Amino acid sequence: MQNLTDWEQEWSRIQEELRQNSGVRVLRETQGPLLLDAVPPVPGSAGEDVILEPSLYERSVRFSEIGSQWQTVDPYPAVTGEFFLTPLSKAVRENSPGFDDSLYSDEERRIGAELHVIDDAPFTGAGSFGAIRIQPGVMTPEIWFSDHVRGMWLMDIDYGTYMENLRLTRGAFGWQHLFTEAPLDDWDFERTADRIARMLDVLPQVFPDCDYTPLQERGEERL
């Protein structure tokens, strides 16, 4: 595929690396064509209600969709993951996800109406997703994570950092809670904490060329 940015080439490389890695089994994957309109809107341009900091697009892709579902195989302990990216230019134009009245508070639904999904798990059907929060006049949006089981969580990282950590983890389930205030020492989060701890131990073995030190240090703080 021609005219890919360095970041787009990196995500294509990640998919290829997952396919070729003897410690990983890819269950499903997709890579759509490049979107012709996947460019940062210009402030003041007609019909554009959402203007984000242009630098955010440096960590976005133009693929209409790109994602992989995978799991580790013997001899490694079980780690599962999925990433499914929505281009930033597409995400800001799509509708917000639905939030059932019986599962979410009025405040959560109010915030949810401002969320636009940038990364989710349609292959697995896990229901979790990462999203940007679009607010009037805010060019650097908040990042939120919803696991559809334990509620919505504000993350203490920006869009670029989310994407960088998604790249490192390959979407290993639970990594986002390293950057939320979820009480990982509570029994309700025991499974999530175990997943994160296993991820931080296994991924450096499966992907030895990647530096997981920052994530491991974050894990020491959170677990």
Side-chain angles (χ1 to χ4, degrees):
M1 191 176 292
Q2 297 180 346
N3 300 320
L4 296 183
T5 66
D6 290 345
W7 190 239
E8 290 161 352
Q9 291 179 42
E10 176 67 5
W11 280 103
S12 293
R13 185 193 66 77
I14 287 171
Q15 286 192 311
E16 177 67 17
E17 183 181 49
L18 286 169
R19 286 194 298 270
Q20 298 298 325
N21 195 307
S22 62
V24 173
R25 178 187 175 196
V26 174
L27 304 176
R28 295 192 223 178
E29 70 171 14
T30 185
Q31 184 179 126
L34 298 182
L35 296 176
L36 298 179
D37 61 348
V39 296
V42 177
S45 57
E48 294 295 349
D49 297 324
V50 178
I51 303 298
L52 301 179
E53 174 61 44
S55 63
L56 298 181
Y57 289 84
E58 296 175 6
R59 281 296 179 264
S60 181
V61 296
R62 295 170 297 163
F63 300 113
S64 60
E65 60 182 22
I66 181 170
S68 296
Q69 176 195 4
W70 57 272
Q71 63 185 33
T72 54
V73 297
D74 289 340
Y76 300 105
V79 176
T80 60
E82 179 177 350
F83 61 85
F84 192 93
L85 306 183
T86 298
L88 198 53
S89 59
K90 181 180 178 181
V92 299
R93 297 183 177 98
E94 293 191 338
N95 293 332
S96 300
F99 293 91
D100 192 295
D101 291 358
S102 65
L103 300 176
Y104 296 90
S105 67
D106 290 344
E107 176 65 9
E108 286 178 322
R109 291 198 302 276
R110 183 185 69 79
I111 295 172
E114 299 175 331
L115 298 184
H116 296 258
V117 176
I118 55 174
D119 166 45
D120 60 333
F123 294 141
T124 311
S128 59
F129 62 82
I132 55 173
R133 183 182 182 187
I134 300 298
Q135 298 171 278
V138 178
M139 297 181 67
T140 305
E142 297 172 348
I143 306 298
W144 286 74
F145 175 64
S146 174
D147 57 18
H148 267 281
V149 176
R150 302 171 183 86
M152 295 162 46
W153 302 90
L154 175 64
M155 300 183 70
D156 64 354
I157 55 177
D158 60 17
Y159 176 82
T161 307
Y162 182 98
M163 287 300 167
E164 178 60 25
N165 283 302
L166 185 67
R167 180 188 72 84
L168 282 171
T169 62
R170 277 64 172 169
F173 288 118
W175 76 265
Q176 290 92 341
H177 279 308
L178 285 171
F179 300 93
T180 72
E181 294 186 355
L184 296 179
D185 55 349
D186 281 6
W187 69 268
D188 193 39
F189 281 87
E190 182 176 1
R191 183 179 179 186
T192 298
D194 287 345
R195 275 181 166 179
I196 293 174
R198 192 180 311 120
M199 170 194 76
L200 294 175
D201 177 59
V202 173
L203 291 191
Q205 302 176 55
V206 179
F207 305 107
D209 293 335
C210 294
D211 181 10
Y212 289 95
T213 303
L215 283 176
Q216 290 170 327
E217 292 175 347
R218 184 74 177 198
E220 292 176 359
E221 298 172 5
R222 293 286 287 122
L223 300 176

